[in-house]
């Protein structure tokens, strides 16, 4: 399976997803600032992967820090990384986990402290893959044999440390003869669906058909979709889910056609501090993502653009949330508390 991120000897190596599928190219980052830029530029993306990569960036910062005010320096790089992608709650979950370990061990010398941080992130990396495999096992049970499923964006191995969430369910499902075909929405404007999901599924010989986002409702009306499976960037305490822009429209269309709509995500994507999805911060991105296609101008260069990177699907349109602990069903508010409560 392709490596999305890896750390060795003071260098963080990141698969540059902005180059896919044309080139498999790796970026070598030496500083937290370089990693923050890679996250901002979507060279590394997908909520769980953003989290682990940012955690590595903090550890990397400490590996290469030789000054005598490490608390101030840590705070500075923490704030920088926290400012990169506001919607993906896994980012905050991951950097807060590292911050806690940092503070608990801040009296140690720099080398010992840096080693502890690197070991913790290596642990998070392995945990993420295990989590995704469990999501795959639970989610596969929701599918009938030979299902035709539809997904958006890329919630796959490329968006995680490996295996994927929504694509993790599809991967395990394919192995169990549950998947006949995957409809991949291209996912305007950054095309994570056509560039990444198609590439990733074809690498694994999973049958995939590419569509533009606007074709989804029509394909549902033709009874060619048995389930919709998507990832998540943040799930509020009531089950409302922020995911790639276009997810909400898919959920409404699935509801209209009585097609089950599943969100696959680790419990680290659930934000119990937010009572509803209206409170989830939605990242606004650069206008040129819409004004241009592969750096080629496709409209007036100064036209006003609205470019929210995510939308929020109200819980009423979600059939179930698939996490590593099992299937969270309705009523979400109570069930989410039950699932998260088991964590302590
Ligand atoms: O802007 P991106 O590419 O980071 O958006 C990614 C998504 O919306 C994914 O569905 C989500 O992060 C879950 S990835 C397992």
């Amino acid at each position: 399976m392709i490596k999305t991120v890896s750390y060795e000897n003071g260098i963080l190596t990141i698969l540059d997803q902005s180059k896919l599928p044309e080139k498999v190219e790796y970026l070598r980052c030496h500083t937290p600032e370089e990693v923050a830029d890679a996250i901002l530029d979507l060279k590394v993306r997908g909520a769980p992967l953003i989290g682990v990569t940012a955690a590595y960036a903090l550890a990397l910062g400490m590996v290469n820090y030789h000054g005598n005010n490490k608390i101030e320096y840590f705070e500075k790089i923490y704030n920088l990384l926290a400012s990169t992608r506001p919607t993906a709650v896994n980012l905050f979950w991951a950097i807060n986990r590292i911050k806690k370990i940092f503070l608990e061990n801040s009296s140690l010398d720099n080398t010992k402290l840096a080693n502890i941080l690197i070991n913790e992130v290596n642990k998070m990396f392995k945990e993420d893959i295990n989590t995704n495999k469990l999501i795959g096992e639970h989610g596969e049970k929701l599918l009938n044999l030979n299902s035709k499923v539809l997904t958006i964006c890329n919630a796959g191995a490329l968006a995680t440390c490996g295996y994927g969430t929504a694509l993790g369910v599809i991967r395990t499902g394919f192995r169990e003869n549950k998947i006949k075909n995957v409809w991949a929405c291209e996912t305007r404007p950054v095309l994570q669906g056509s560039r990444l999901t198609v590439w990733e599924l074809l690498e694994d010989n999973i049958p995939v058909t590419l569509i533009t986002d606007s074709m989804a409702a029509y394909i549902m009306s033709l009874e060619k979709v048995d389930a919709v499976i998507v990832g998540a960037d943040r799930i509020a305490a009531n089950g409302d889910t922020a995911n790639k822009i276009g997810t909400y429209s898919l959920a409404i269309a699935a509801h209209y056609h009585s097609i089950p709509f599943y969100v696959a995500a680790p419990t680290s994507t659930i934000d119990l501090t937010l009572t509803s999805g209206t409170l989830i911060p939605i990242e606004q991105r650069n206008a040129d993502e819409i004004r241009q296609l592969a750096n080629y101008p496709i409209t007036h260069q100064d036209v006003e653009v609205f470019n929210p990177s995510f939308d929020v699907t109200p819980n009423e349109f979600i059939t179930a949330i698939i996490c590593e602990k099992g299937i969270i069903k309705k009523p979400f508010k109570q069930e989410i508390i039950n699932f998260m409560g088991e964590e302590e």
Side-chain angles (χ1 to χ4, degrees), residues 282-302:
I282 298 296
E283 176 184 357
Q284 301 291 324
R285 292 195 57 86
N286 193 309
D288 284 345
E289 284 183 355
I290 293 187
R291 292 188 192 128
Q292 302 174 355
L293 200 55
N295 293 325
Y296 187 83
I298 53 167
T299 181
H300 193 290
Q301 64 176 14
D302 297 322

Side-chain angles (χ1 to χ4, degrees), residues 17 42 44-50 85 88 90 132 152-156 159-160 164-166 190 192 196 230-233 242-245 247 264-266 269 283 285 309-310:
Q17 300 193 26
L42 305 185
V44 51
R45 33 68 49 200
L49 183 61
I50 292 167
R85 305 274 328 255
N90 305 63
N132 296 336
I152 187 167
C153 195
N154 172 267
T160 60
T165 56
V190 182
Q192 290 93 332
L196 308 177
V230 300
D233 277 76
N243 190 50
K244 182 51 59 195
I245 191 75
T247 304
T269 305
E283 176 184 357
R285 292 195 57 86
S309 193
F310 302 97

Side-chain angles (χ1 to χ4, degrees), residues 34-325:
E34 285 171 0
V35 182
D37 282 346
I39 295 174
L40 270 173
D41 295 344
L42 305 185
K43 291 182 172 158
V44 51
R45 33 68 49 200
L49 183 61
I50 292 167
V52 172
T53 306
Y56 267 128
L58 289 178
L60 175 70
M62 294 323 297
V63 169
N64 295 325
Y65 182 71
H66 304 293
N68 52 16
N69 199 340
K70 52 179 174 264
I71 299 213
E72 194 181 306
Y73 177 68
F74 185 90
E75 218 32 63
K76 190 181 122 197
I77 57 176
Y78 173 95
N79 289 334
L80 171 72
L81 289 154
S83 69
T84 52
R85 305 274 328 255
T87 306
V89 77
N90 305 63
L91 166 64
F92 304 95
W93 173 86
I95 60 177
N96 285 337
R97 179 161 156 182
I98 293 305
K99 186 175 184 174
K100 184 167 175 279
I101 309 270
F102 170 83
L103 292 174
E104 282 165 7
N105 295 282
S106 60
S107 59
L108 297 176
D109 71 59
N110 287 1
T111 314
K112 275 195 190 134
L113 176 57
N115 281 338
I116 290 175
L117 298 186
I118 289 290
N119 287 341
E120 184 67 16
V121 194
N122 287 340
K123 211 166 108 189
M124 287 163 80
F125 182 94
K126 286 191 188 132
E127 280 171 16
D128 185 60
I129 298 174
N130 288 339
T131 293
N132 296 336
K133 290 192 170 160
L134 287 170
I135 289 174
E137 279 171 29
H138 295 305
E140 168 272 308
K141 296 194 175 67
L142 295 169
L143 301 174
N144 295 321
L145 285 175
N146 289 319
S147 292
K148 299 176 284 294
V149 300
L150 184 143
T151 191
I152 187 167
C153 195
N154 172 267
L158 291 168
T160 60
C161 300
Y163 208 73
T165 56
L167 295 195
V169 174
I170 289 170
R171 260 195 182 93
T172 309
F174 182 68
R175 212 178 53 211
E176 302 299 322
N177 297 322
K178 300 281 183 79
I179 299 290
K180 185 172 180 200
N181 186 53
V182 180
W183 297 105
C185 294
E186 67 170 351
T187 319
R188 275 282 286 154
V190 182
L191 306 178
Q192 290 93 332
S194 51
R195 292 189 304 106
L196 308 177
T197 291
V198 166
W199 183 78
E200 187 178 324
L201 292 177
L202 289 180
E203 285 282 300
D204 271 8
N205 297 315
I206 299 176
V208 55
T209 307
L210 178 65
I211 56 170
T212 67
D213 304 340
S214 51
M215 293 171 187
Y218 173 64
I219 290 165
M220 289 183 197
S221 78
L222 299 178
E223 300 185 357
K224 289 179 184 294
V225 181
D226 300 307
V228 178
I229 313 173
V230 300
D233 277 76
R234 196 184 294 228
I235 303 172
N238 67 350
D240 293 350
T241 294
N243 190 50
K244 182 51 59 195
I245 191 75
T247 304
Y248 178 28
S249 318
L250 292 180
I252 294 171
H255 182 77
Y256 181 79
H257 293 99
S258 304
I259 295 167
F261 183 93
Y262 299 117
V263 171
T267 48
S268 53
T269 305
I270 299 176
D271 184 351
L272 290 179
T273 68
L274 302 184
T275 49
S276 108
T278 53
L279 300 168
I280 299 176
I282 298 296
E283 176 184 357
Q284 301 291 324
R285 292 195 57 86
N286 193 309
D288 284 345
E289 284 183 355
I290 293 187
R291 292 188 192 128
Q292 302 174 355
L293 200 55
N295 293 325
Y296 187 83
I298 53 167
T299 181
H300 193 290
Q301 64 176 14
D302 297 322
V303 68
E304 272 303 312
V305 161
F306 180 52
N307 186 12
S309 193
F310 302 97
D311 57 28
V312 176
T313 300
N315 59 34
E316 62 188 288
F317 298 123
I318 298 170
T319 311
I321 299 168
I322 308 161
C323 71
E324 72 276 19
K325 294 180 179 181

Side-chain angles (χ1 to χ4, degrees), residues 14-20 23 25-27 42-43:
I14 291 173
L15 174 66
D16 183 349
Q17 300 193 26
S18 66
K19 300 268 167 64
L20 285 170
K23 287 186 203 144
E25 218 172 85
Y26 284 87
L27 262 182
L42 305 185
K43 291 182 172 158

